[in-house]
Amino acid sequence: MTDPHGKAAARIQARAVRDAIADPDARARAALAVRDRVATLPLLDGAVGGYWPFGSELDARPALIHLKQLGRSVGLPVSGPRGTALLFRDWDPDEPPLPGRYGILEPGEGRAVLRPSVLLVPLLAFDRTGHRLGYGAGYYDRTLELLRAAGPVLAVGVAFAAQEIAAVPCAEHDERLDWIVTERETLRIGG
Protein backbone atom coordinates (compact mmCIF):
# COMPACT_ATOMS: atom_id res chain seq x y z
CA MET A 1 0.00 0.00 0.00
CA THR A 2 1.25 3.45 -0.87
CA ASP A 3 1.74 6.25 1.60
CA PRO A 4 -1.42 8.41 1.43
CA HIS A 5 0.76 11.51 1.79
CA GLY A 6 2.57 10.44 -1.37
CA LYS A 7 -0.76 10.40 -3.22
CA ALA A 8 -1.70 13.83 -1.88
CA ALA A 9 1.61 15.32 -3.04
CA ALA A 10 1.29 13.58 -6.41
CA ARG A 11 -2.23 15.01 -6.82
CA ILE A 12 -1.00 18.56 -6.21
CA GLN A 13 1.80 18.19 -8.73
CA ALA A 14 -0.37 16.40 -11.31
CA ARG A 15 -3.10 19.03 -11.08
CA ALA A 16 -0.52 21.79 -11.63
CA VAL A 17 0.78 20.00 -14.74
CA ARG A 18 -2.72 19.55 -16.15
CA ASP A 19 -3.76 23.12 -15.26
CA ALA A 20 -0.70 24.42 -17.12
CA ILE A 21 -2.21 23.16 -20.40
CA ALA A 22 -4.04 26.43 -20.81
CA ASP A 23 -4.08 27.10 -24.57
CA PRO A 24 -7.71 26.58 -25.67
CA ASP A 25 -6.68 25.65 -29.23
CA ALA A 26 -4.23 23.00 -27.98
CA ARG A 27 -6.89 21.63 -25.63
CA ALA A 28 -9.45 21.45 -28.47
CA ARG A 29 -6.94 19.73 -30.79
CA ALA A 30 -6.15 17.21 -28.05
CA ALA A 31 -9.86 16.46 -27.52
CA LEU A 32 -10.32 15.83 -31.26
CA ALA A 33 -7.19 13.64 -31.43
CA VAL A 34 -8.48 11.59 -28.48
CA ARG A 35 -11.87 11.29 -30.22
CA ASP A 36 -10.15 9.86 -33.30
CA ARG A 37 -8.06 7.43 -31.23
CA VAL A 38 -11.04 6.22 -29.18
CA ALA A 39 -12.89 5.57 -32.46
CA THR A 40 -10.23 2.99 -33.40
CA LEU A 41 -10.37 1.00 -30.14
CA PRO A 42 -11.89 -2.49 -30.07
CA LEU A 43 -14.74 -1.42 -27.78
CA LEU A 44 -17.12 -3.89 -26.17
CA ASP A 45 -20.75 -3.77 -27.28
CA GLY A 46 -23.14 -1.90 -25.04
CA ALA A 47 -23.36 1.50 -23.43
CA VAL A 48 -20.43 3.87 -23.05
CA GLY A 49 -19.94 5.82 -19.85
CA GLY A 50 -18.12 9.12 -20.12
CA TYR A 51 -17.84 12.28 -18.09
CA TRP A 52 -18.50 15.99 -18.32
CA PRO A 53 -15.12 17.77 -18.12
CA PHE A 54 -14.43 19.45 -14.81
CA GLY A 55 -11.76 22.11 -14.43
CA SER A 56 -8.79 21.33 -16.66
CA GLU A 57 -9.78 17.73 -17.51
CA LEU A 58 -9.46 16.65 -21.11
CA ASP A 59 -12.81 17.16 -22.83
CA ALA A 60 -14.13 13.70 -23.75
CA ARG A 61 -17.37 15.07 -25.21
CA PRO A 62 -16.15 14.98 -28.85
CA ALA A 63 -15.48 11.22 -28.43
CA LEU A 64 -18.83 10.70 -26.72
CA ILE A 65 -20.73 12.59 -29.41
CA HIS A 66 -18.96 10.56 -32.10
CA LEU A 67 -19.88 7.29 -30.37
CA LYS A 68 -23.48 8.49 -29.98
CA GLN A 69 -23.59 9.31 -33.71
CA LEU A 70 -22.49 5.72 -34.35
CA GLY A 71 -25.58 4.53 -32.47
CA ARG A 72 -24.03 3.81 -29.06
CA SER A 73 -25.90 4.65 -25.86
CA VAL A 74 -23.82 7.14 -23.91
CA GLY A 75 -24.16 7.95 -20.23
CA LEU A 76 -22.65 10.50 -17.89
CA PRO A 77 -22.00 9.89 -14.20
CA VAL A 78 -24.16 11.02 -11.34
CA SER A 79 -22.23 11.29 -8.07
CA GLY A 80 -23.84 9.91 -4.97
CA PRO A 81 -22.55 10.14 -1.41
CA ARG A 82 -18.81 9.73 -0.90
CA GLY A 83 -17.89 6.05 -0.72
CA THR A 84 -20.42 4.93 -3.33
CA ALA A 85 -20.09 3.92 -6.98
CA LEU A 86 -21.17 6.25 -9.75
CA LEU A 87 -24.55 5.88 -11.42
CA PHE A 88 -24.68 6.53 -15.18
CA ARG A 89 -27.67 8.18 -16.81
CA ASP A 90 -28.34 8.44 -20.54
CA TRP A 91 -26.90 11.65 -22.01
CA ASP A 92 -28.63 13.68 -24.68
CA PRO A 93 -26.20 16.35 -26.00
CA ASP A 94 -29.20 18.50 -26.93
CA GLU A 95 -30.60 18.50 -23.40
CA PRO A 96 -28.88 20.86 -20.93
CA PRO A 97 -27.24 18.96 -18.05
CA LEU A 98 -27.74 20.06 -14.45
CA PRO A 99 -25.14 20.80 -11.75
CA GLY A 100 -24.57 17.79 -9.50
CA ARG A 101 -23.06 17.16 -6.10
CA TYR A 102 -19.65 18.69 -6.89
CA GLY A 103 -20.87 21.28 -9.38
CA ILE A 104 -20.13 18.89 -12.24
CA LEU A 105 -22.85 18.84 -14.89
CA GLU A 106 -24.84 15.62 -15.17
CA PRO A 107 -28.04 14.32 -16.78
CA GLY A 108 -31.31 14.96 -14.97
CA GLU A 109 -33.18 12.39 -12.90
CA GLY A 110 -35.62 11.68 -15.72
CA ARG A 111 -32.90 10.14 -17.91
CA ALA A 112 -32.59 6.32 -18.09
CA VAL A 113 -29.94 4.56 -16.01
CA LEU A 114 -27.29 2.72 -18.06
CA ARG A 115 -24.75 0.01 -17.22
CA PRO A 116 -21.64 0.91 -19.24
CA SER A 117 -19.54 -1.81 -20.81
CA VAL A 118 -16.98 0.84 -21.78
CA LEU A 119 -15.95 3.60 -19.41
CA LEU A 120 -13.96 6.70 -20.44
CA VAL A 121 -12.22 7.69 -17.23
CA PRO A 122 -10.83 11.13 -16.32
CA LEU A 123 -7.63 11.37 -14.30
CA LEU A 124 -4.95 13.60 -12.84
CA ALA A 125 -2.02 11.36 -13.83
CA PHE A 126 -1.33 7.93 -15.30
CA ASP A 127 1.56 5.53 -15.76
CA ARG A 128 2.25 2.82 -18.33
CA THR A 129 1.13 0.03 -16.00
CA GLY A 130 -2.47 1.28 -16.19
CA HIS A 131 -2.63 2.99 -12.82
CA ARG A 132 -4.38 6.33 -12.62
CA LEU A 133 -4.36 9.04 -10.04
CA GLY A 134 -7.82 10.42 -9.36
CA TYR A 135 -9.09 13.02 -6.94
CA GLY A 136 -9.06 10.70 -3.94
CA ALA A 137 -12.76 10.01 -3.36
CA GLY A 138 -12.56 6.53 -4.95
CA TYR A 139 -15.66 6.92 -7.13
CA TYR A 140 -14.10 5.38 -10.24
CA ASP A 141 -12.36 2.57 -8.33
CA ARG A 142 -15.66 1.57 -6.72
CA THR A 143 -17.50 1.93 -10.02
CA LEU A 144 -15.01 -0.21 -11.93
CA GLU A 145 -15.00 -2.84 -9.19
CA LEU A 146 -18.81 -3.02 -9.25
CA LEU A 147 -19.05 -3.07 -13.05
CA ARG A 148 -16.31 -5.70 -13.40
CA ALA A 149 -18.04 -7.93 -10.83
CA ALA A 150 -21.17 -7.88 -13.03
CA GLY A 151 -19.46 -8.60 -16.35
CA PRO A 152 -16.89 -7.40 -18.85
CA VAL A 153 -16.10 -3.70 -18.86
CA LEU A 154 -13.35 -1.83 -20.65
CA ALA A 155 -11.76 1.07 -18.71
CA VAL A 156 -10.19 3.68 -20.98
CA GLY A 157 -8.27 6.48 -19.33
CA VAL A 158 -8.33 9.67 -21.40
CA ALA A 159 -5.76 12.36 -20.73
CA PHE A 160 -3.22 14.77 -22.10
CA ALA A 161 0.15 13.14 -22.83
CA ALA A 162 1.73 15.58 -20.35
CA GLN A 163 -0.16 13.83 -17.53
CA GLU A 164 2.03 10.73 -17.74
CA ILE A 165 4.29 10.10 -14.76
CA ALA A 166 6.84 7.34 -14.14
CA ALA A 167 4.83 5.58 -11.42
CA VAL A 168 1.45 6.44 -9.93
CA PRO A 169 1.32 5.90 -6.18
CA CYS A 170 -1.29 3.18 -5.81
CA ALA A 171 -3.01 0.98 -3.27
CA GLU A 172 -4.35 -2.56 -3.45
CA HIS A 173 -7.94 -1.38 -4.08
CA ASP A 174 -7.01 0.86 -7.04
CA GLU A 175 -8.52 -0.44 -10.28
CA ARG A 176 -6.29 -0.51 -13.36
CA LEU A 177 -7.17 0.87 -16.75
CA ASP A 178 -7.28 -1.37 -19.82
CA TRP A 179 -6.30 1.39 -22.24
CA ILE A 180 -4.93 4.91 -21.99
CA VAL A 181 -5.60 7.34 -24.81
CA THR A 182 -3.85 10.69 -25.19
CA GLU A 183 -3.55 13.10 -28.10
CA ARG A 184 -0.20 11.44 -28.94
CA GLU A 185 -0.74 7.71 -28.46
CA THR A 186 -2.97 4.81 -27.55
CA LEU A 187 -1.59 2.46 -24.88
CA ARG A 188 -2.96 -1.03 -24.38
CA ILE A 189 -2.28 -2.17 -20.84
CA GLY A 190 -1.35 -5.76 -20.15
CA GLY A 191 -2.22 -6.98 -23.60
Side-chain angles (χ1 to χ4, degrees):
M1 184 137 165
T2 302
D3 172 16
H5 299 295
K7 274 192 172 184
R11 282 188 183 95
I12 292 168
Q13 184 175 2
R15 189 183 303 260
V17 167
R18 194 181 69 192
D19 289 349
I21 306 166
D23 177 36
D25 291 334
R27 295 179 68 78
R29 282 191 306 274
L32 293 176
V34 166
R35 174 202 63 197
D36 295 345
R37 290 181 178 284
V38 166
T40 68
L41 292 178
L43 301 179
L44 299 172
D45 290 334
V48 176
Y51 64 91
W52 192 275
F54 182 69
S56 60
E57 288 176 342
L58 184 130
D59 189 351
R61 290 175 296 179
L64 297 173
I65 289 169
H66 177 73
L67 291 167
K68 196 149 185 86
Q69 289 169 341
L70 293 176
R72 301 293 292 260
S73 296
V74 173
L76 295 181
V78 175
S79 299
R82 193 177 180 100
T84 62
L86 296 167
L87 174 75
F88 286 83
R89 292 194 184 277
D90 180 61
W91 175 54
D92 179 352
D94 296 326
E95 188 176 301
L98 305 170
R101 175 177 293 274
Y102 299 104
I104 301 169
L105 298 178
E106 50 191 46
E109 287 186 25
R111 304 298 302 178
V113 173
L114 304 176
R115 183 209 174 269
S117 61
V118 177
L119 198 56
L120 301 187
V121 183
L123 49 89
L124 285 168
F126 68 90
D127 65 26
R128 289 185 176 254
T129 67
H131 287 108
R132 66 177 278 279
L133 186 64
Y135 295 105
Y139 280 108
Y140 279 92
D141 290 317
R142 282 183 197 83
T143 301
L144 284 168
E145 180 182 27
L146 183 70
L147 290 172
R148 286 173 170 161
V153 64
L154 196 66
V156 181
V158 292
F160 298 101
Q163 292 177 257
E164 181 178 354
I165 62 176
V168 169
C170 58
E172 196 173 299
H173 68 273
D174 291 335
E175 293 283 328
R176 285 190 186 196
L177 301 167
D178 301 298
W179 293 85
I180 299 168
V181 179
T182 75
E183 75 277 20
R184 293 190 193 144
E185 64 184 326
T186 303
L187 303 170
R188 184 175 182 190
I189 308 302

